[in-house]
Amino acid sequence: MTIPNTFPITPELVASHGLKPEEYQRILDLIGREPSYTELGIFSAMWNEHCSYKSSKRWLRTLPTKGARVIQGPGENAGVVDIDDGDVVVFKMESHNHPSYIEPYQGAATGVGGILRDVFTMGARPIAAMNALRFGAPDHPKTRHLVSGVVSGVGGYGNSFGVPTVGGEVEFDERYNGNILVNAFAAGLAKADGIFLSEAKGVGLPVVYLGAKTGRDGVGGATMASAEFDEQIEEKRPTVQVGDPFTEKCLLEACLELMKTGAVIAIQDMGAAGLTCSAVEMGAKGDLGIELILDLVPVREERMTAYEMMLSESQERMLMVLLPEKEEEAKAIFAKWGLDFAIVGKTTDDLRFRVLHQGEEVANLPIKDLGDQAPEYDRPWREPAKRAPLPANLVAEPADYGAALLTLLGSPNQSSRRWVYEQYDTLIQGNSLQLPGGDAGVVRVDTHPKKALAFSSDVTPRYVEADPFEGGKQAVAECWRNLTATGAEPLAATDNLNFGNPEKPEIMGQLVQAIKGIGEACIALDFPIVSGNVSLYNETNGVAILPTPTIAGVGLIPDWSRMARIGTANDGDVLLMIGPDGSHLGASVYLADVLGIADGPPPSVDLFAERRNGDFVRSAIRNGQVTACHDISSGGLALALAEMAMASGKGIKVSLETSKGPAHALLFGEDQARYVVAVPADLANFISASAEGCGVAFRRLGSVGGETLDVDGVLSLPVAQLRSVHESWFPDFMDGELPTAAE
């Protein structure tokens, strides 16, 4: 067999495709000859880290992925979880880190577009989106530009498409100066009997191209996402895709309409590696071959080569295996929506991946080996050193507790994110019950009179760096806790594991230990991982990001009239803390932002206490006994109380007289498994007795009322002052009123 080659395959060309010499030798051994240039591109696309997970899949297999409600776990475009009444929720989180640093608007926009396609490819209508964003230091000269571009991109795509953004995270740290993180989440609703998978079935059936035309944007994007950055970063700009949310909205409607006809046998989003990955995955999963004729692919640019067409990551495209007798009906649907519909190939029975272009065969490869034979590494790893314990009595108390709290409220990472989320449409579709700013976003299930879904995204990177195992556990626990704080039953999670170069044993050690912690927490909390993404090589000039294993979760609220919020306490309500007194200041924001110190281990996570305390709080919420609820996390009890006071506009009076330990640990300690709940005064004794009977630690803190946050003998601040400080940092930063290091 002779396949024409347009470029000689040199070691330099192999290296430029992200393939190591031993990986190229593996290709030679598999196919018994030198690959064509197009075939080299195909292998590069399928074997890069972004698509093959070659450094992480050994460890990903250890995560719990099954559960009583899990219908579809990892391996498809998104996970599927049962929410009763024949309904399912379909969800996933993915990264678009490298593209968003190179071209922030389009990088973030196409990240949103890609995750939405993952959801509606499964047959679900998207109902909610979130994003977890990490940027460099606020005084870095590029940070403001990147924040502006990314937030505009997220809003520009999501708002135009018509999906509410209901939650997420925005944080700053100098370790993200050269490599920001953009993790996009989407969830959709479907019927349990209406889920579509990507496994091709049947021989000789048409392979159909759907959606927008193919261009040169994004060629090599997946390979670029699997490499470190260096000084030549600007040269990678052409690898960033360009999105069109209005085309995607049409694609959503056309696909859902087509799925109702029974025409779809298998369907796959064209995401990373575009036509290559979608075709190979569909065929390989179904133990079938695929033949593609590139001359039939709709293109928007002239003289595109086979290599460019196979590796293009142009957006808003799908690949489908179709029932032949439904061809005309399907074509008419896509014509109605103004989208391309083209039969570009067929399924075969020979397990080969054939690509034809201009009358020549430019690729002929074993389709199963493209995925199944991708390299899998058991990379050496080193367990990170443990930090020495940091007793609270060795940590300096603030000279002024009120000033310390205001410092936290007005800090880059604890200030209000209103500037960000007000640029997103949080109300479109008319089902949003809780908006960003609380513990979790909540959206009604519009096919049911009472049911709602809660969504949260969480990780504390400073914990993960200090102790990846405990940090991994804490990311899961906080997500689970935030869902619980609304009254939701946490169902399942998706992960986005963002780390540096896995070829460095210390970085690989962070990844391994974090996965171990995540797995332990998911098992203990019955919170399986049903989908996810791994993003490695997040480094620039050898400087890695903070290890950031983001966890996004979904919870079910059977009756949203009994849902809890952060800011709905009534005057005269009693505040109770569920969980132990604060004592742990290691790796806390008090230490970092008030004292300017990064020291000590993160708080340990007692998963049994998390489960016990969370189940108790959820039960109280569902019984109608709680008027407001908030979990305690970064900033400890003091920040939780301030956030509740600001959300309600009501004052809070708290006494610590009966507490043990130093006041700064009680107020700013970040011990886990804790909540603040507001309950009617006539129920306070009953709730307290119930907690005691369940073995749940609790403390009566004080009451709601007035206009001041008053912690007896320690601090007293007007709620209006708290809100002013809390709300001002982000607008001031984006208006250029805070100087950068270059100014």
mmCIF file of all heavy atoms in Angstrom, residues 523-545:
data_model
loop_
_atom_site.group_PDB
_atom_site.id
_atom_site.type_symbol
_atom_site.label_atom_id
_atom_site.label_comp_id
_atom_site.label_asym_id
_atom_site.label_seq_id
_atom_site.Cartn_x
_atom_site.Cartn_y
_atom_site.Cartn_z
ATOM 1 N N ILE A 523 -16.135 7.912 47.886
ATOM 2 C CA ILE A 523 -16.676 6.666 48.425
ATOM 3 C C ILE A 523 -17.407 6.938 49.743
ATOM 4 O O ILE A 523 -18.541 6.506 49.955
ATOM 5 C CB ILE A 523 -15.553 5.632 48.617
ATOM 6 C CG1 ILE A 523 -15.030 5.152 47.250
ATOM 7 C CG2 ILE A 523 -16.049 4.444 49.444
ATOM 8 C CD1 ILE A 523 -13.774 4.312 47.339
ATOM 9 N N ALA A 524 -16.768 7.683 50.637
ATOM 10 C CA ALA A 524 -17.354 7.930 51.960
ATOM 11 C C ALA A 524 -18.648 8.735 51.868
ATOM 12 O O ALA A 524 -19.566 8.544 52.674
ATOM 13 C CB ALA A 524 -16.345 8.660 52.840
ATOM 14 N N LEU A 525 -18.718 9.644 50.882
ATOM 15 C CA LEU A 525 -19.882 10.517 50.766
ATOM 16 C C LEU A 525 -20.882 10.022 49.727
ATOM 17 O O LEU A 525 -21.870 10.713 49.452
ATOM 18 C CB LEU A 525 -19.429 11.935 50.422
ATOM 19 C CG LEU A 525 -18.516 12.597 51.470
ATOM 20 C CD1 LEU A 525 -18.020 13.948 50.977
ATOM 21 C CD2 LEU A 525 -19.243 12.746 52.799
ATOM 22 N N ASP A 526 -20.634 8.853 49.150
ATOM 23 C CA ASP A 526 -21.527 8.284 48.125
ATOM 24 C C ASP A 526 -21.760 9.311 47.021
ATOM 25 O O ASP A 526 -22.893 9.665 46.690
ATOM 26 C CB ASP A 526 -22.856 7.858 48.752
ATOM 27 C CG ASP A 526 -23.684 6.976 47.811
ATOM 28 O OD1 ASP A 526 -23.105 6.449 46.836
ATOM 29 O OD2 ASP A 526 -24.904 6.839 48.034
ATOM 30 N N PHE A 527 -20.658 9.757 46.438
ATOM 31 C CA PHE A 527 -20.658 10.888 45.512
ATOM 32 C C PHE A 527 -19.765 10.527 44.315
ATOM 33 O O PHE A 527 -18.681 11.078 44.154
ATOM 34 C CB PHE A 527 -20.115 12.106 46.271
ATOM 35 C CG PHE A 527 -20.431 13.451 45.701
ATOM 36 C CD1 PHE A 527 -21.673 13.761 45.183
ATOM 37 C CD2 PHE A 527 -19.459 14.452 45.743
ATOM 38 C CE1 PHE A 527 -21.944 15.033 44.697
ATOM 39 C CE2 PHE A 527 -19.720 15.720 45.273
ATOM 40 C CZ PHE A 527 -20.963 16.014 44.743
ATOM 41 N N PRO A 528 -20.203 9.570 43.471
ATOM 42 C CA PRO A 528 -19.314 9.038 42.430
ATOM 43 C C PRO A 528 -18.952 10.063 41.361
ATOM 44 O O PRO A 528 -19.703 11.014 41.094
ATOM 45 C CB PRO A 528 -20.128 7.886 41.832
ATOM 46 C CG PRO A 528 -21.551 8.236 42.140
ATOM 47 C CD PRO A 528 -21.530 8.942 43.454
ATOM 48 N N ILE A 529 -17.809 9.850 40.732
ATOM 49 C CA ILE A 529 -17.358 10.664 39.603
ATOM 50 C C ILE A 529 -17.899 10.029 38.327
ATOM 51 O O ILE A 529 -17.567 8.894 37.993
ATOM 52 C CB ILE A 529 -15.823 10.721 39.538
ATOM 53 C CG1 ILE A 529 -15.241 11.304 40.827
ATOM 54 C CG2 ILE A 529 -15.372 11.497 38.301
ATOM 55 C CD1 ILE A 529 -15.429 12.775 41.007
ATOM 56 N N VAL A 530 -18.716 10.763 37.577
ATOM 57 C CA VAL A 530 -19.354 10.180 36.393
ATOM 58 C C VAL A 530 -18.827 10.744 35.074
ATOM 59 O O VAL A 530 -19.202 10.263 33.998
ATOM 60 C CB VAL A 530 -20.888 10.342 36.445
ATOM 61 C CG1 VAL A 530 -21.458 9.595 37.644
ATOM 62 C CG2 VAL A 530 -21.300 11.808 36.485
ATOM 63 N N SER A 531 -17.979 11.750 35.152
ATOM 64 C CA SER A 531 -17.385 12.318 33.943
ATOM 65 C C SER A 531 -16.229 13.197 34.391
ATOM 66 O O SER A 531 -16.016 13.393 35.591
ATOM 67 C CB SER A 531 -18.407 13.144 33.149
ATOM 68 O OG SER A 531 -18.938 14.196 33.942
ATOM 69 N N GLY A 532 -15.474 13.731 33.433
ATOM 70 C CA GLY A 532 -14.405 14.623 33.848
ATOM 71 C C GLY A 532 -13.370 14.855 32.781
ATOM 72 O O GLY A 532 -13.536 14.485 31.612
ATOM 73 N N ASN A 533 -12.281 15.480 33.205
ATOM 74 C CA ASN A 533 -11.245 15.929 32.299
ATOM 75 C C ASN A 533 -9.945 16.056 33.085
ATOM 76 O O ASN A 533 -9.970 16.395 34.264
ATOM 77 C CB ASN A 533 -11.662 17.281 31.694
ATOM 78 C CG ASN A 533 -10.572 17.933 30.875
ATOM 79 O OD1 ASN A 533 -9.982 18.916 31.288
ATOM 80 N ND2 ASN A 533 -10.306 17.393 29.708
ATOM 81 N N VAL A 534 -8.841 15.771 32.412
ATOM 82 C CA VAL A 534 -7.528 15.978 33.007
ATOM 83 C C VAL A 534 -6.768 16.975 32.144
ATOM 84 O O VAL A 534 -6.691 16.806 30.927
ATOM 85 C CB VAL A 534 -6.730 14.663 33.118
ATOM 86 C CG1 VAL A 534 -5.355 14.920 33.722
ATOM 87 C CG2 VAL A 534 -7.493 13.640 33.953
ATOM 88 N N SER A 535 -6.238 18.005 32.758
ATOM 89 C CA SER A 535 -5.443 19.012 32.053
ATOM 90 C C SER A 535 -4.074 19.078 32.701
ATOM 91 O O SER A 535 -3.938 19.561 33.832
ATOM 92 C CB SER A 535 -6.129 20.383 32.117
ATOM 93 O OG SER A 535 -5.330 21.372 31.512
ATOM 94 N N LEU A 536 -3.059 18.576 31.976
ATOM 95 C CA LEU A 536 -1.693 18.552 32.486
ATOM 96 C C LEU A 536 -0.817 19.517 31.686
ATOM 97 O O LEU A 536 -1.282 20.180 30.774
ATOM 98 C CB LEU A 536 -1.136 17.133 32.436
ATOM 99 C CG LEU A 536 -1.970 16.079 33.183
ATOM 100 C CD1 LEU A 536 -1.333 14.703 33.064
ATOM 101 C CD2 LEU A 536 -2.140 16.458 34.651
ATOM 102 N N TYR A 537 0.428 19.591 32.075
ATOM 103 C CA TYR A 537 1.405 20.495 31.439
ATOM 104 C C TYR A 537 0.979 21.957 31.560
ATOM 105 O O TYR A 537 1.266 22.770 30.694
ATOM 106 C CB TYR A 537 1.631 20.126 29.970
ATOM 107 C CG TYR A 537 2.266 18.766 29.793
ATOM 108 C CD1 TYR A 537 1.479 17.640 29.557
ATOM 109 C CD2 TYR A 537 3.647 18.600 29.899
ATOM 110 C CE1 TYR A 537 2.052 16.384 29.414
ATOM 111 C CE2 TYR A 537 4.228 17.346 29.757
ATOM 112 C CZ TYR A 537 3.429 16.243 29.517
ATOM 113 O OH TYR A 537 4.014 14.998 29.385
ATOM 114 N N ASN A 538 0.306 22.287 32.659
ATOM 115 C CA ASN A 538 -0.038 23.678 32.911
ATOM 116 C C ASN A 538 1.161 24.359 33.567
ATOM 117 O O ASN A 538 1.198 24.603 34.777
ATOM 118 C CB ASN A 538 -1.288 23.755 33.796
ATOM 119 C CG ASN A 538 -2.541 23.368 33.059
ATOM 120 O OD1 ASN A 538 -2.997 24.083 32.173
ATOM 121 N ND2 ASN A 538 -3.098 22.219 33.404
ATOM 122 N N GLU A 539 2.157 24.630 32.763
ATOM 123 C CA GLU A 539 3.394 25.255 33.198
ATOM 124 C C GLU A 539 3.850 26.257 32.150
ATOM 125 O O GLU A 539 3.585 26.093 30.967
ATOM 126 C CB GLU A 539 4.501 24.219 33.404
ATOM 127 C CG GLU A 539 4.236 23.205 34.493
ATOM 128 C CD GLU A 539 5.506 22.491 34.952
ATOM 129 O OE1 GLU A 539 6.606 22.905 34.526
ATOM 130 O OE2 GLU A 539 5.396 21.533 35.723
ATOM 131 N N THR A 540 4.554 27.265 32.599
ATOM 132 C CA THR A 540 5.189 28.216 31.697
ATOM 133 C C THR A 540 6.620 28.432 32.165
ATOM 134 O O THR A 540 6.845 28.806 33.322
ATOM 135 C CB THR A 540 4.428 29.554 31.682
ATOM 136 O OG1 THR A 540 3.099 29.320 31.215
ATOM 137 C CG2 THR A 540 5.100 30.543 30.746
ATOM 138 N N ASN A 541 7.550 28.155 31.251
ATOM 139 C CA ASN A 541 8.976 28.278 31.576
ATOM 140 C C ASN A 541 9.326 27.530 32.864
ATOM 141 O O ASN A 541 10.104 27.998 33.692
ATOM 142 C CB ASN A 541 9.377 29.750 31.688
ATOM 143 C CG ASN A 541 9.254 30.481 30.365
ATOM 144 O OD1 ASN A 541 9.529 29.912 29.304
ATOM 145 N ND2 ASN A 541 8.833 31.732 30.404
ATOM 146 N N GLY A 542 8.731 26.352 33.020
ATOM 147 C CA GLY A 542 9.051 25.491 34.143
ATOM 148 C C GLY A 542 8.329 25.796 35.432
ATOM 149 O O GLY A 542 8.517 25.091 36.428
ATOM 150 N N VAL A 543 7.499 26.847 35.469
ATOM 151 C CA VAL A 543 6.755 27.200 36.687
ATOM 152 C C VAL A 543 5.343 26.637 36.579
ATOM 153 O O VAL A 543 4.578 27.011 35.693
ATOM 154 C CB VAL A 543 6.697 28.723 36.884
ATOM 155 C CG1 VAL A 543 5.873 29.075 38.126
ATOM 156 C CG2 VAL A 543 8.106 29.298 37.001
ATOM 157 N N ALA A 544 5.007 25.710 37.485
ATOM 158 C CA ALA A 544 3.702 25.044 37.438
ATOM 159 C C ALA A 544 2.649 25.862 38.167
ATOM 160 O O ALA A 544 2.945 26.638 39.087
ATOM 161 C CB ALA A 544 3.799 23.657 38.069
ATOM 162 N N ILE A 545 1.405 25.683 37.747
ATOM 163 C CA ILE A 545 0.277 26.251 38.475
ATOM 164 C C ILE A 545 0.170 25.604 39.851
ATOM 165 O O ILE A 545 0.804 24.578 40.136
ATOM 166 C CB ILE A 545 -1.040 26.026 37.709
ATOM 167 C CG1 ILE A 545 -1.305 24.504 37.566
ATOM 168 C CG2 ILE A 545 -1.036 26.726 36.377
ATOM 169 C CD1 ILE A 545 -2.714 24.148 37.158
#
